[in-house]
Amino acid sequence: MSDPRFNSMHLDANPRREEFRRARALLFGSCGSQTIAVDRERLLEEGDGQPHTIIERPDEKPTDLQFWLVDKDGMYPLKPGLNSIGRMPDNDVVIADASVSRRHCAVLVHVTRGCELHDTASKNGTYLNGNRISGPTRLVCGDEIKMCDHTIIFQSSQSGAEPKDAGTPSRCATIG
């Protein structure tokens, strides 16, 4: 799988570049074939330079939206496939905070089995409900994702329903 948002050329230092490449390989390896196909199609449709959707008034949430993130600035719809989060303007969710990494983390929306959060070797780590994650971690409605001083809440139209799939990463993939 190839995604121009996840190249490692933005990293100067060799150890950080290698950490990012390992995190990227884990992220891409977590995608199933259906998710890869949908994500590839989305990238072809959107192309580079397309604006990313932010809904500034949460009461305007589209009725067909299955997963989204909410913070003080608005609501960010999540699409099937990779949803990058960071301070670079080409991320799906842009966080205007210098302490947030360029590609801080990603939410992988699977076609058939919910969502998971991946840290992409960010400098300051990604926290889920107060615990630093160390690997892919399943998301459930109401989870609090923290990147430095910025907090985003994961929301789902599947209220209270956790996907039950043996291939889904455990909620235990955190560092206490």
Side-chain angles (χ1 to χ4, degrees):
M1 180 173 184
S2 176
D3 186 329
R5 295 172 298 176
F6 290 95
N7 69 40
S8 57
M9 300 315 296
H10 66 279
L11 296 169
D12 296 327
N14 246 351
R16 289 251 312 127
R17 183 176 286 172
E18 290 307 313
E19 286 175 36
F20 182 84
R21 288 177 177 168
R22 280 192 295 277
R24 178 184 61 197
L26 183 61
L27 176 62
F28 289 169
S30 294
C31 297
S33 59
Q34 288 178 313
T35 304
I36 290 171
V38 169
D39 196 50
R40 185 172 289 136
E41 185 176 310
R42 177 176 64 112
L43 284 173
L44 290 173
E45 286 175 11
E46 290 180 358
D48 289 333
Q50 290 292 322
H52 298 282
T53 305
I54 179 173
I55 301 169
E56 293 181 4
R57 294 186 43 211
D59 55 322
E60 296 176 0
K61 179 183 88 65
T63 56
D64 63 341
L65 196 55
Q66 191 172 14
F67 303 107
W68 65 96
L69 299 172
V70 178
D71 70 4
K72 62 182 175 31
D73 298 322
M75 178 188 307
Y76 307 88
L78 298 174
K79 299 171 186 160
L82 297 174
N83 294 271
S84 60
I85 303 171
R87 72 172 192 266
M88 294 284 285
D90 62 342
N91 282 298
D92 297 300
V93 178
V94 178
I95 308 297
D97 181 337
S99 62
V100 171
S101 294
R102 294 174 188 166
R103 301 271 186 255
H104 199 98
C105 60
V107 174
L108 176 56
V109 177
H110 292 283
V111 173
T112 58
R113 56 183 170 121
C115 301
E116 59 192 50
L117 178 65
H118 290 251
D119 182 78
T120 51
S122 64
K123 195 169 190 175
N124 296 309
T126 301
Y127 292 79
L128 184 64
N129 301 322
N131 296 307
R132 187 173 181 158
I133 65 170
S134 63
T137 307
R138 181 180 33 215
L139 289 169
V140 295
C141 189
D143 277 346
E144 182 181 279
I145 302 166
K146 190 163 184 168
M147 297 158 284
C148 303
D149 292 328
H150 196 91
T151 301
I152 296 180
I153 307 299
F154 174 77
Q155 296 292 314
S156 169
S157 60
Q158 303 171 344
S159 60
E162 279 191 66
K164 302 291 184 200
D165 187 287
T168 303
S170 164
R171 292 285 311 234
C172 301
T174 58
I175 298 173

